[in-house]
Structure formats: C-alpha cells, structure tokens
Amino acid sequence: MDVLSDAVAAMRAGRPHSGLRYKYGPWGTRFQATDGAGFHVVLRGSAWLLPAQGEPVALGPGDVVFLAHGRGHALASAPDVPLEDFTVGPDGRWPDPPPPPPGAPEPDTLMLCGAYLLDRSRAHPLLTELPEVVHLPARVGDTGGLRAAVELLGQELTGCRPGSYTIIASLLDTLLLYILRAWWEREPRDAVPRGGWAAALADPAVCAALHALHSDPARAWSVEELGAEGGLSRAAFARRFTALVGRPPLAYLTWWRMTTAGRLLRTEDLPLRQVAERAGYTSEFAFAKAFKREYGVAPGQYRKQAS
C-alpha cells in the first residue's frame, strides 16, 4: 500500500455512512462535534459552511468540503438563518430522509453528506496536519476521479439496488482517498517551506523512502538503504527526512510498525506470532515487550479492549 492509503486504513474504524439531503427555502443545520470526519458535496444549488472557527465558506455546485477533525460545524442557506440540530440515530448512524414525493418541486439545494468513523488514538500526522476545513472548489485542478466517485455515490443512494450496501461502502472509501489526494496534490504549491507532510510527499527522495518502508515495514531497513531509495547519502537523507516528517527515519519506521500492529490486533484474528512478524519482529516476546512500551498494555489485552 502507499502512504496515503496506509494512513487512512490505520485510522478507519467502523463503517462510513452517507446520504442525500434535500433542502427547500431558508434552512440551517448544526452538526455536533464527533470523533469522526465529515464531508459535504453540493450537487445542486448553493450553501454556506459555518465552521467552528473561521469565516463562513460559500459553496457552489460541485464544491466539496472535508472536515477531518470532527469539530462542530453548520450548513445553511445563508450565514444568518436559524440553525436546527442534526439528530443522529440511536445506533450512531445518520438517518436517511425520505426523497421528495413524485411531482414535488425540485429542491433549492441538493447535497451529498457523510461521515467516517476514525480511531484517533494513533492518528497519522498526514491527517492531523490537515486544516480545519479542506475546501475543494469545483474549478480546482484535475479532479475527474473525485467527481466520478461523487456521481456514482449519488446514483447508488437514489434507490435500492442489488449490491448497493457493499458498493456504497467501497465508494465512500474511494471518495475519501480522492478528497485527500486532491488536497495533497494541490497543497505543496502553497506549503510552508519549513516542512510538513505536504512537503514530504512532494519531495522525491523522502516520498520514495516512505513508499518503500510502507510497502515492507517488516524489513530490517537501515538509514542507508532508505536513503538509497531516494538517491541520497545517509546523512543528507536523514536530515531531509527528519526535517519534513518530524521524526528520524528509523523512529518513524518503529512508530509505523506499532501502528500497523495495533490495527491488525483490532481488525484481524491473526495469531500473535503473525502480528509480530508483520511488525518486523522475529521474537513474539520482543514484540510483546515493545508493544506494551508503546501502548501501555500487552497485545492480548489490547485486542480484548478493542473487541
């Protein structure tokens, strides 16, 4: 897997959900803070995003917004309209409003809204560095894949079709990756020169090393080998990697191995020996010791708590 896919997979928890929202006349909806991340796509009409911090954001047809940190926010037809709280179902899922009855007038605004459940206990910095609001206007860049995912998702949500349950879940995963890819590909042009993950992914040497260690985290990588992936000497690579990623290369490798092990313990029914091997440990005892040092509990206890 690549770095972006790995970062998302490490934080994902539970099944994402989404739905179409039909809006008539003056309207305003307030979304409470959550552990997840939300997105909104304007399919028709217009809306205003009212973030917890910062100025209102005007949204037009085709605009996509992603709120990675789960802070409260609102959507409205205008910044000054009264807001009604959005009610989440008893199972934590977003209720699906009924579509307009046949013959009803076209809604003033049609939106595709959804949320992803995230485990923030091992949040990848690639996602934690995202701004409060990721706004992708319809006119920005080549986002054909993002638009195609939105269109397909909207089609699946308009009716009950065979296979929709699985298709919608897959499309939501695809949509999230397209959103993040579109932002990260745009961001390096505006990134602060001091560093950060936008700059790390735009740096050929660091990106090559990240791809290598994410592709094979169990390998006993050396700094020299990782530097060679990007065509740099050991010292030059170590300086550049640390400056952009925020950790020395082997420290990041250890952190990622433990993050991978935690995800496997939460989501897979693998013997502890296999989890240790995938995390780069030949000794189950050494792995358990390292895991407890990182998480504060033994691997078996962590698995029970997660279940």
Side-chain angles (χ1 to χ4, degrees), residues 27 42-47 59-63 107-111:
W27 59 273
V42 180
L43 302 177
R44 183 190 307 136
S46 62
L59 305 177
D63 281 13
D108 298 318
T109 301
L110 175 61
M111 302 194 69

Side-chain angles (χ1 to χ4, degrees), residues 42 65 75 111 130 133 156 159 187 194 214:
V42 180
V65 289
L75 288 170
M111 302 194 69
L130 290 173
V133 176
E156 290 297 325
E187 184 61 14
R194 289 193 298 271
H214 274 257

Side-chain angles (χ1 to χ4, degrees), residues 4-56:
L4 180 56
S5 300
D6 276 345
V8 171
M11 293 185 66
R12 283 288 310 281
R15 178 184 168 86
H17 44 275
S18 64
L20 295 172
R21 297 290 179 261
Y22 306 86
K23 300 297 184 181
Y24 295 88
W27 59 273
T29 304
R30 181 189 295 109
F31 297 86
Q32 302 297 330
T34 175
D35 288 336
F39 71 88
H40 305 285
V41 184
V42 180
L43 302 177
R44 183 190 307 136
S46 62
W48 284 84
L49 174 71
L50 310 176
Q53 300 176 352
E55 296 297 317

Side-chain angles (χ1 to χ4, degrees), residues 62 80 117 122 125 166 201 230 248 252 277 297:
D80 56 351
L117 302 178
R122 298 287 294 187
T166 300
L201 294 180
Y252 177 81
E277 290 174 353
V297 296

Side-chain angles (χ1 to χ4, degrees), residues 84-149:
E84 296 183 358
D85 287 331
F86 182 79
T87 304
V88 178
D91 58 354
R93 297 183 60 81
W94 289 18
D96 291 326
E106 290 289 328
D108 298 318
T109 301
L110 175 61
M111 302 194 69
L112 172 61
C113 304
Y116 300 91
L117 302 178
L118 301 177
D119 176 12
R120 299 190 184 276
S121 63
R122 298 287 294 187
H124 195 285
L126 192 152
L127 296 180
T128 58
E129 286 186 3
L130 290 173
E132 177 78 12
V133 176
V134 171
H135 179 204
L136 299 171
R139 64 182 182 276
V140 170
D142 179 14
T143 55
L146 173 60
R147 307 302 161 192

Side-chain angles (χ1 to χ4, degrees), residues 200-226:
L201 294 180
D203 184 283
V206 173
C207 187
L210 284 168
H211 180 76
L213 66 83
H214 274 257
S215 298
D216 190 6
R219 177 174 167 177
W221 290 100
S222 67
V223 178
E224 290 87 351
E225 290 172 326
L226 290 171

